Amino acid sequence: MVLEIPGATHLHSGKVRDLYEYGDHLLMVASDRISAYDFSLEPGIPDKGEILTRMSLWWFEQLADIVPNHVISTDVPEQVAGRALIVERLDMFPVECVVRGYLTGSGLADYAASGHVCGVPLPRGLVDGSRLPEPIFTPATKAEIGDHDQNITFDHVVDTIGAEDAAALRDLSIQVYRRAEEIARERGILLADTKFEFGRRPDGTIVLADEVLTPDSSRFWPADAWEPGRSQPSFDKQFVRDWLTSPESGWDRDIESAPPRLPDAIVEKTRERYLEAYERLTGRSW
Ligand SMILES: C[C@H](c1ccccc1)n1cc(-c2ncnc(N)c2C#N)cn1
C-alpha cells in the first residue's frame, strides 16, 4: 500500500520499505511490514519501522568516523514520523555489498557446491553457522522484484564499476562490518552477515546509503544460542518462523501459498525482540 505523502512522489517499493522523491532529496520510509520465507506477512509488527529507523540512525552515528552517510534530516512528514529519513540523492552503485562473518544461507550453499563463495576460497570442513577466519566480501546483483539477489565475483564488480571503486566498496564494506560486528558481539548479538548499499556524490565521495545493520538488512543471531552445525535461531524472526512452520499455522510452505495471518501473541513477542535488539545495541531505552 503506497502512502500518499504531501510533497513526496513514490519511486520504489521494497518488501518492507518505500522510497519517495522529496524535493531535491529522497524520503526513505520503513514500514511495519515483516517478511519471512519471501512473503510479506500480515499483520505488520507495531513500531517495527520506527525501531529499525532509529537503529539505522544510531549505526550511522557510530560509523561516521569511518564513512560518510546519506542522512540529511529526520524532520519528516507527520504521517511517517519516526520511521522515515530524508536522505541525499546519490548515484547508487549497482552492487549489493554483502559482507559475511559467518557461513549460512546462499553463502553456505555456494560453499557446499564449490568450496568457494563469490570466488573466494574457504577452508574445508565449514558447516552452517561456522564463523569464518576473516569476514569476506560477497557481492550480489540486485534482483528483480520477488527474485533472490545473485551472488557475483569481485571481478564481476570490477567489470561493472571499475577496479578503483570495486576495491573501495570492498574495503569500506569489510571495515564497516568489522566495526559493527565487534559492537554487536559485545552486546550479545552476532552479526552473521549484512548488506550495504553505497552511492556517490557529484564530487566523487563514496557514501553509505540505504538502511544499515538492521535485522532486515542483516542476520542477527543471539550469541548465547550460537551452535555451528545447524540453522541458527534468528534474533528477531524466530517466533514467526517457528509458528509458520508449526502445525498450528496450518501453512504448507511447499505449496507456495501465502502464509496465514500471524496471531497477536507472535506479533507481540516479535515486537519485543525488535525492541530488545534496539535497546541492547544502542543502550537507549525505547
Ligand atoms: C534499494 C533502495 C530502496 C530503498 C527503499 C525502498 C526501495 C528501494 N534504494 C535506495 C536508493 C537511493 N537512490 C539514490 N540515493 C539514495 N540515497 C538512495 C538510498 N538509500 C534507490 N533504491
Side-chain angles (χ1 to χ4, degrees), residues 10-20 25-30 33 60 69-71 86-93 96 142 145 197-200 207-211:
H10 179 254
L11 268 183
H12 287 302
S13 276
K15 281 205 193 81
V16 295
R17 290 173 310 145
D18 303 292
L19 192 70
Y20 298 79
H25 306 311
L26 298 175
L27 184 70
M28 196 164 73
V29 180
R33 296 192 297 271
F60 280 128
N69 65 65
H70 67 158
V71 177
I86 298 172
V87 299
E88 181 182 355
R89 187 191 288 259
L90 299 167
D91 179 14
M92 299 301 284
F93 288 101
E96 304 284 0
K142 297 179 189 176
I145 296 279
E197 299 218 21
F198 294 92
R200 177 200 288 289
V207 178
L208 183 57
D210 204 358
E211 63 178 323

Side-chain angles (χ1 to χ4, degrees), residues 53-74:
T53 298
R54 285 201 207 173
M55 192 183 292
S56 202
L57 268 175
W58 181 82
W59 280 116
F60 280 128
E61 290 164 20
Q62 306 312 306
L63 298 162
D65 59 319
I66 49 178
V67 62
N69 65 65
H70 67 158
V71 177
I72 292 214
S73 166
T74 57

Side-chain angles (χ1 to χ4, degrees), residues 55 164 255 272:
M55 192 183 292
E164 188 181 342
I255 59 173
E272 282 158 12

Side-chain angles (χ1 to χ4, degrees), residues 169-186:
L169 294 190
R170 176 195 58 204
D171 298 349
L172 256 183
S173 297
I174 289 177
Q175 187 186 5
V176 171
Y177 172 84
R178 285 182 188 279
R179 167 76 74 80
E181 192 275 336
E182 183 183 12
I183 291 172
R185 184 160 23 87
E186 285 166 359

